[in-house]
Every structure is written in C-alpha cells, then in structure tokens.
Amino acid sequence: MRPIIIEPPPPTAPQRRQPNTTSKKVTGGCSMLHLLIVGIAVMSCCLVAMTYAFFTAKSGRHHHHHHHAIHGAVAEGDESLPLEEGRLSPALSGPNITVNQSAAVNSRRATLPISSSNSSNASFVQVRSMAELKKSFFYRMQEVKSKFWLARTVDTNADASLDNEKIVLFNYVKHYDAWSIQGHTRMHLTCELNDRVTVDRKWARSFEMWLPSFTPDGHLILKSKRNKMFLRPSGAQNDQLMADISASDEAARWVLLREPSPQCNREEKDADVPKKDLLERLRGSCWGPEGHVKALPQALSSTAKFANATVPVFGSPKPLSQLSPKDAKDKYDTFIISNRTLHNWAMIDGVEPFLLADDSGNQELVKRVNSGSGIAHKIALQTSGFELHKDPSYEQPTYRGLFDAALRRFPTALAVMYSNSDILYTPSLVETVRSVASYVDRERERMKRRGLPYNVRGWMIVGQRVNHDIPPNWNLDASGRWVDTVEGEFAKQGDLFESDAEDYFIVSRGLFDWMKDIPDFVVGGVAFDNWITNKVNVMASRGEAIEVDGSKTIIAVHQNHGGDPKKSHEHPKSIYNSHLAARNGGWTLGHTADALYATERRAADGAVTVYDKHRLLYP
C-alpha cells in the first residue's frame, strides 16, 4: 500500500468582516474622536505588519511561490551526527489519518505513519529545505509524479521493493562540496558517462556526487555534480533515471522523508561514539549485513529448474614445455600455475572442464590430473577439430573456433565458458550461472504472462578478476578447505583488476552462430574481450540479449605470473585483433561495468540474484 503523502494545509483565507448592523449611530462631536482613534489603530496595525514582514523575509520564512525557482545552495554539513529534531506525531482517528494543522503550518513539515517490522509506531518527517537536510542521516525518496520509490532491489523480477531497499544514506563530502547517496548494498547513486544513473559503485567519487536543492513547495531536486544536469525518470516504464536535462522545471520532484526506524537513528548514549564506527553500526542495523554470505538451502529454490545444470569450462593454454617446476620456490612458475589451475577446475562440482590443446605437455598434464583423487569431473581433452587461424605465423586457434568446438562437445549444455588458463574459481561460479539462467527463464515467463514480446536470443556473463601472488607451495586439498582460502584470503587480499580486461566469458547456447557471426580473432591476442563485450551490450540495447556483470558473485582469482602484463599488446596477433575489432564495431561498451545487469548475494539468505542496474524506481 502506498503511503499517503500529506501536504501542509493551505492557509485559511481571511473572512471579510461584516458591518455591525446592530450598533448605534454615532453623531455629533463624538464622530471626530472616533475617527481619530480608528485611524491610530489602523496605522499601528500596518506598522506591526510591516515589521513582521521585514523580519520574516530576513529569516527566510517568507516563501515565494514561483514554480521554477530553486531554493537552497549546497552548504557544508555538520561533522557530527545530530539527534533528530522536532518530529511531529500525527493524530490517529480510526482509519483516517490527520495531522495537527497548526503545527504543520508553523513547521512547514508533514509526517507520515508507516508500518513495518522495524519501525512500528514511528512517523516519517518530510524534509523541505536544505536547512533540514542532515548529513549522515537515512532517508527515503518518493518520486512525486509516479509515486515510485528510489530503490535498488536485489532481484529485478520482483514487482516491488522491500523496506530496507528504499532506505538511502545522504552524506556531505567536503572535498567535492556535494552530497553522496548510498543504498543498502553500500553502492552509491552514480551518473555514468552516458548520463544513465545506476547504484553500482562502492566508492563515492566525482561521478557519485549530487547537488540537492528544494522547490518552494518543499520537493527535492537533484543535479549531478559531474555533468551539471538534473535527474529525471526515463525508460519505457519510467522506472529508470537519467541526468541529462538542464532545465530545473523538467527535473524529477522527490518527497524526501527522514527514516524513522529506531535501527537507523543514533541515540543519546551514542554522543561520544566515533562517527565512522557509529555509521558502520547504523548501516548494519538499518540495511542488514554486508559482504559475502553463503547461501542457505532454501535460497536455492528459485533455481530448482536448473539445480543440476553443469557448466562446461574450456581453455586453450600455451604449450607446456616440461612437467615439473623449474624452481619449486618460484610463485610464477608456469608448471605450478598450470597444474594448480587444472586441479581447480576439476574439483568444482558442476564444472565440466575441457581443454583444447595439441601439445604433448598439456596432454600429459591432463592425464595426471584425471588419475588423481578429489576431482569432481575428469578433464575432457580435444587435440584437433577446431579452427586454427589462417595465418600460420600465429600458431593459435581462433576464439570462434573454440566456442564452436565446445558447443558441439556439450550439445545439451545451457551455456559454455571460456577462461584464461591461469584463473582459479570456486563453486560460486556454478551458482551464479544457474541463477542467471533461472532469472532469464523467469523473465521470459513474466513477459509472456503480460502478453509482451521477448526477443532475447541469449545471455552472456563477464566479470572482473582479482590479481594475487599465490604461494608456490599452496595446493588444493581434497577436503574442500581450499574454497575458504580462495574466497576468504586470496580474493580479499588481491587487487581488483581493470574492468576492461575480461578473462572469462559465459555464453548461452543460441546467442551466436559463432562461425558466421564472429570474426576470426586469434586466441591470446588483445581486443577480443572488449569487442565481444561491446557486441553483446549493443545487442542488449536492442532487446536481443542480456549481458550480466558477475564480478560481485563469481570469485575469479588470477594467479600472477610475473612480467609486464601489457607486453602482449605488442604481439602481431594483438595488432591483428585490434584492427579487426575496429573494423567490426569497435569496443566503446567493452567494460564489464557497461553490462546492463549484475549479480550479487542477497543478505537475507545468501542467494545469488540478478538485478537491472538501471531500474531504480519501484512501487
């Protein structure tokens, strides 16, 4: 049920004074005295009124009703976390809600009762001016025209948002002289380079800065600090946001409500608590826990249809010249990294590892891994039958040839995954793929029920990797404790690499006719990752595909192997790939961050969910 937006009552029109028909007629000398007294009284009233108007204007309480005027410049917020002030409590009379009118008029505020599990008997306070906007306070924002709430749900299939998903934290950032707006996922409201607005970045920098102001009738308006444009609803369903208009009268108007939940507000006993510690505690109690949460059994029910789906993971490693380390203490040793990678892929339940290699070294290593213990699936090996590039000087297969071979090798697979041969994964990989497949299936059914066309041919998952120096003597144990090490240590201690360096691609069957739709990019050269990411993003903009950024749920640890990571850019096959990409559409949308969808774990049960990064308005 939508909350009732209560506006302050309009001022009562003064009643015209009626003549006193019962008074006696004044005659003679008394009339002059009477007129003199009346004149003095009138002059006194005028003087009082003029004085009141003068001081009222100086104090800012006099409101001019020009619809396009914007009140309130951004001012530096109080460094402290002030206690909430002057909340008005509505009187409840049966099912009808009333507000103390005189109090509402005097304070220019209105309150709204809410009912939720964590905020019973509490009331919203509408913020109507910059003076009332407090730093480090929690709020809710409702768009005036649509009555939709600004929210970031963890499941785009949901028709409405949960209470904690509507709550945002406003914080003044002195360095930028602007405000950041943070949601329950700890991500910030961001104005991207294409002026689209997302809630997908953890750190508040220039793209996450906003300039709030208020209209004369007390509605919030937001302007992006990055491009100096105002925020407005967009999209076919008006459930997305753009910051792309210069006229304030066309901007979205928001009712800004102070969050009344006790869990979201400091108490008097917190007066001496350091600001950073207090905010972190309030975030946890108001929004819920942050970080990786392992899935509970009931969380997997939404993916039951795909519970047994496996993920073929294939690679084409460089030829292996020897089957033992050159230096057992060298963390960058090629054999140590190759051996560890193949064991990792083979030990993940639900992964079907597949190697395409024609050299004897990799073929022998596959035999050794398959004969060992603790593996969930044996590694399939293919030594021929896939396309090699027509230029023999490269001595490499093509990406399209590898994908075509993998799809033929696993004819019933929902999707296949290419990975560089130095990446470690965890079971989060399989869980994410199943969740994305489930999401797309539910979305197809949802559109069908609504009688709407669904032209999506398929989907692709990409993501960022974490770079880390793995100790040379670390190996995967059969007990499964290695999963905690990879997720709890390596992934957290490593460095998140660039968003335009994709090391894996999970592509659903039917998205491409690989040998027809994809040029002959050479394996190992640059540009293919950005080109294929751009191509799917362009298809997604036409409603033909879904691209998902899986960085938040797929643990992908790149084993550092020394040397200059940019050196491969100078190789002839990289130059060839770059020219090929430029001639076939380029790579403008070639970053993982350009994907319209992303995954994350739901705090309540740890389930992997998919969300539309641009859908930010919900009933």
Side-chain angles (χ1 to χ4, degrees):
M1 180 178 179
R2 292 174 182 167
I4 303 170
I5 304 300
I6 305 175
E7 297 290 350
T12 304
Q15 294 183 352
R16 186 181 300 276
R17 186 173 181 178
Q18 300 297 322
N20 186 356
T21 57
T22 62
S23 62
K24 295 182 179 179
K25 185 176 180 180
V26 180
T27 60
C30 294
S31 61
M32 292 298 295
L33 178 61
H34 178 76
L35 291 174
L36 179 61
I37 293 173
V38 171
I40 293 173
V42 170
M43 291 177 65
S44 299
C45 291
C46 292
L47 181 60
V48 170
M50 292 173 63
T51 304
Y52 173 79
F54 174 78
F55 284 105
T56 301
K58 285 182 71 68
S59 64
R61 291 193 299 267
H62 186 66
H63 294 270
H64 298 277
H65 295 280
H66 299 298
H67 290 290
H68 305 323
I70 304 298
H71 285 270
V74 174
E76 182 175 346
D78 187 356
E79 288 299 323
S80 64
L81 282 167
L83 292 173
E84 189 163 354
E85 304 167 353
R87 175 180 293 153
L88 298 177
S89 297
L92 301 181
S93 176
N96 299 320
I97 300 170
T98 61
V99 176
N100 183 318
Q101 293 191 3
S102 61
V105 172
N106 289 337
S107 68
R108 298 284 298 171
R109 297 186 185 182
T111 59
L112 302 169
I114 62 174
S115 59
S116 67
S117 59
N118 61 359
S119 56
S120 58
N121 300 322
S123 301
F124 286 115
V125 176
Q126 183 173 349
V127 175
R128 295 177 172 273
S129 69
M130 289 301 300
E132 298 177 51
L133 181 61
K134 301 297 183 182
K135 174 183 177 181
S136 303
F137 265 78
F138 293 89
Y139 299 90
R140 300 192 191 192
M141 294 171 57
Q142 187 180 46
E143 203 269 322
V144 171
K145 187 175 181 180
S146 67
K147 299 295 189 291
F148 283 179
W149 297 93
L150 176 69
R152 245 283 277 109
T153 69
V154 294
D155 189 348
T156 306
N157 288 129
D159 292 325
S161 55
L162 303 175
D163 268 357
N164 72 316
E165 295 173 340
K166 298 183 180 79
I167 301 172
V168 295
L169 174 66
F170 272 68
N171 206 16
Y172 177 77
V173 183
K174 186 175 181 180
H175 175 74
Y176 293 102
D177 190 23
W179 295 70
S180 66
I181 302 173
Q182 188 180 32
H184 72 103
T185 59
R186 278 61 168 183
M187 303 298 166
H188 292 83
L189 194 70
T190 301
C191 179
E192 304 285 0
L193 283 173
N194 58 6
D195 298 336
R196 282 181 172 270
V197 176
T198 64
V199 182
D200 203 50
R201 296 187 186 179
K202 187 170 185 178
W203 307 112
R205 299 188 176 96
S206 59
F207 283 39
E208 289 72 51
M209 293 296 113
W210 299 90
L211 303 172
S213 54
F214 287 83
T215 61
D217 53 357
H219 290 144
L220 172 70
I221 290 179
L222 288 175
K223 178 192 286 188
S224 168
K225 175 83 171 182
R226 183 190 71 79
N227 66 2
K228 303 298 188 293
M229 294 291 177
F230 287 100
L231 193 64
R232 68 171 179 88
S234 67
Q237 307 297 323
N238 280 327
D239 56 3
Q240 301 177 12
L241 291 172
M242 295 281 288
D244 63 348
I245 54 173
S246 57
S248 62
D249 57 339
E250 298 177 18
R253 262 66 170 164
W254 302 89
V255 175
L256 183 64
L257 302 171
R258 182 91 57 81
E259 176 59 38
S261 305
Q263 290 90 335
C264 303
N265 293 291
R266 69 177 294 173
E267 302 173 4
E268 291 185 17
K269 65 181 181 180
D270 298 324
D272 297 327
V273 178
K275 173 190 167 186
K276 183 178 180 181
D277 296 340
L278 177 59
L279 264 183
E280 194 54 42
R281 193 192 76 196
L282 290 175
R283 286 188 182 103
S285 61
C286 191
W287 285 329
E290 178 190 17
H292 176 72
V293 183
K294 290 189 176 180
L296 302 176
Q298 62 267 28
L300 303 178
S301 60
S302 63
T303 61
K305 182 176 179 180
F306 303 95
N308 297 318
T310 58
V311 184
V313 178
F314 66 93
S316 181
K318 295 177 181 179
L320 198 59
S321 60
Q322 61 184 59
L323 291 170
S324 61
K326 290 182 179 179
D327 182 356
K329 296 181 180 180
D330 181 10
K331 59 188 174 185
Y332 300 146
D333 184 85
T334 301
F335 173 79
I336 292 176
I337 291 175
S338 297
N339 182 53
R340 187 188 291 137
T341 300
L342 292 187
H343 273 92
N344 171 249
W345 294 6
M347 294 177 76
I348 300 175
D349 189 24
V351 165
E352 295 191 74
F354 176 41
L355 217 63
L356 298 106
D358 58 1
D359 68 290
S360 59
N362 278 300
Q363 293 172 25
E364 179 60 30
L365 180 57
V366 168
K367 292 179 182 178
R368 290 187 183 183
V369 174
N370 285 344
S371 62
S373 61
I375 62 173
H377 289 279
K378 289 187 176 182
I379 303 171
L381 179 66
Q382 186 168 332
T383 60
S384 61
F386 48 87
E387 181 186 46
L388 296 175
H389 197 271
K390 59 181 179 290
D391 188 336
S393 65
Y394 298 142
E395 297 182 344
Q396 288 288 328
T398 63
Y399 282 105
R400 69 182 185 185
L402 297 185
F403 271 98
D404 180 68
L407 287 166
R408 286 188 281 109
R409 179 80 181 215
F410 301 94
T412 62
L414 288 171
V416 294
M417 172 181 176
Y418 169 83
S419 173
N420 285 350
S421 299
D422 51 11
I423 308 293
L424 301 178
Y425 298 99
T426 70
S428 63
L429 166 63
V430 178
E431 187 184 354
T432 298
V433 173
R434 289 172 178 171
S435 293
V436 171
S438 177
Y439 168 81
V440 175
D441 185 66
R442 296 197 314 272
E443 188 69 7
R444 182 181 292 108
E445 291 300 318
R446 188 169 72 96
M447 298 294 280
K448 182 179 179 180
R449 288 195 303 270
R450 294 183 175 184
L452 299 174
Y454 192 72
N455 301 318
V456 172
R457 294 170 52 183
W459 47 268
M460 183 172 82
I461 306 173
V462 294
Q464 290 176 261
R465 76 189 196 208
V466 172
N467 293 337
H468 191 58
D469 288 338
I470 309 296
N473 59 348
W474 183 83
N475 290 300
L476 296 88
D477 60 284
S479 68
R481 289 193 298 268
W482 63 268
V483 176
D484 293 330
T485 303
V486 173
E487 293 187 347
E489 296 181 26
F490 298 163
K492 292 182 178 179
Q493 296 170 1
D495 299 317
L496 185 65
F497 200 48
E498 301 162 358
S499 65
D500 61 348
E502 297 92 346
D503 280 31
Y504 63 85
F505 312 92
I506 308 166
V507 186
S508 70
R509 183 179 298 277
L511 182 59
F512 299 120
D513 180 339
W514 283 91
M515 301 305 292
K516 180 180 178 182
D517 299 340
I518 308 300
D520 58 345
F521 289 95
V522 187
V523 170
V526 301
F528 171 75
D529 54 348
N530 306 129
W531 180 87
I532 192 75
T533 301
N534 175 82
K535 182 175 179 64
V536 179
N537 273 322
V538 171
M539 293 173 64
S541 68
R542 299 195 297 257
E544 299 172 0
I546 290 178
E547 182 155 22
V548 181
D549 179 0
S551 302
K552 295 177 186 174
T553 58
I554 295 178
I555 304 298
V557 177
H558 172 256
Q559 303 167 84
N560 290 339
H561 42 70
D564 181 4
K566 302 293 185 181
K567 190 174 182 179
S568 62
H569 293 203
E570 304 170 3
H571 197 282
K573 62 184 177 184
S574 290
I575 297 173
Y576 174 85
N577 280 1
S578 297
H579 288 303
L580 190 62
R583 294 196 305 268
N584 288 274
W587 50 81
T588 303
L589 299 176
H591 292 243
T592 57
D594 292 321
L596 299 180
Y597 293 81
T599 60
E600 69 183 7
R601 288 193 179 274
R602 190 164 53 211
D605 57 8
V608 173
T609 60
V610 181
Y611 65 93
D612 181 343
K613 293 197 295 187
H614 297 129
R615 185 182 177 190
L616 298 176
L617 296 177
Y618 287 84

